[in-house]
Amino acid sequence: VGTCVPVRPDRGTETEQAGSDARLLLHLQQAGYCVGARLGIAVSGGCDSLALLYLAQELAQRLGWVLFAATVDHGLRAESAAERMEWLKAQGFEPDVIFVHPGWGEALFVRDVFPKAKLLIYSEYYYAGEGGDAFFDPEFSKPSIAALQRLRVRNTHLLHAMSVADGALSPTGFQRDRHPAWFRDRITVIHDGI
């Protein structure tokens, strides 16, 4: 395990990126992440998980972390992710931090395989019946009970990930604010690029 080095945001920063970096470093320090940590990340190969991998690589370089990546197939993603994590564990890998996109359940079994690792999730989107991407056009979509139930079910794996996560990243304030109020204080907003 690395040593925690105090990080303070530079209030005189001229660029937004530098300010975001400082906020992220402060958030990570407060969450117990340390310089020199080992970061494990599972990716499916989709655009969103590759963006997450790119962000994790930049973060690892800035913080002096060692980055390990494993691929996950598009079958049963929670089980597939657990299999890859078990394989990494069998190779002697014990991560200090795991950064995962929980969008299809990949975070479901992280705590079972690596119970001591800090878990950071990518909080991309939380579904709700109002104010989001559902039912915004009354001409073409009307909220039925069945449609609202489908939206609620879409959040099941996200709720599980949030219940065990130590922290989270969202690319925008809008995306952070879609999540339940009880979890928002654990989400840091860091724009992940265009």
Side-chain angles (χ1 to χ4, degrees):
V1 177
T3 57
C4 289
V5 176
V7 178
R8 291 180 183 83
D10 180 2
R11 296 185 187 272
T13 311
E14 293 184 11
T15 66
E16 187 174 310
Q17 181 64 43
S20 293
D21 288 353
R23 286 192 310 275
L24 174 61
L25 293 173
L26 181 61
H27 177 78
L28 291 173
Q29 178 195 2
Q30 291 169 343
Y33 297 94
C34 300
V35 173
R38 294 162 295 189
L39 175 66
I41 187 167
V43 295
S44 65
C47 294
D48 54 353
S49 68
L50 291 178
L52 175 65
L53 178 61
Y54 180 77
L55 177 66
Q57 180 183 14
E58 284 190 356
L59 182 63
Q61 287 173 348
R62 283 198 300 264
L63 296 179
W65 288 354
V66 177
L67 179 65
F68 293 85
T71 60
V72 177
D73 66 37
H74 287 274
L76 299 171
R77 294 185 184 183
E79 291 87 348
S80 176
E83 286 174 10
R84 298 315 301 161
M85 287 185 287
E86 288 170 357
W87 180 84
L88 286 168
K89 190 172 192 169
Q91 306 307 307
F93 178 63
E94 284 289 333
D96 298 309
V97 179
I98 298 175
F99 189 14
V100 63
H101 187 300
W104 296 100
E106 291 88 344
L108 284 174
F109 304 123
V110 169
R111 289 282 189 222
D112 297 327
V113 181
F114 294 117
K116 294 179 183 176
K118 294 284 187 176
L119 179 59
L120 180 65
I121 63 171
Y122 187 67
S123 294
E124 185 174 20
Y125 199 76
Y126 190 86
Y127 298 94
E130 294 180 10
D133 68 345
F135 318 121
F136 61 88
D137 187 342
E139 183 179 350
F140 295 103
S141 59
K142 299 195 182 338
S144 67
I145 294 298
L148 291 169
Q149 290 168 341
R150 281 191 298 276
L151 285 175
R152 187 175 302 277
V153 168
R154 282 185 180 180
N155 290 327
T156 303
H157 59 283
L158 301 173
L159 286 164
H160 181 275
M162 290 186 296
S163 75
V164 296
D166 296 298
L169 296 178
S170 281
T172 67
F174 170 79
Q175 288 166 290
R176 177 203 56 220
D177 294 345
R178 301 294 301 153
H179 291 75
W182 60 265
F183 188 70
R184 284 186 209 134
D185 67 336
R186 286 191 259 168
I187 301 174
T188 298
V189 174
I190 301 291
H191 182 63
D192 59 8
I194 298 173

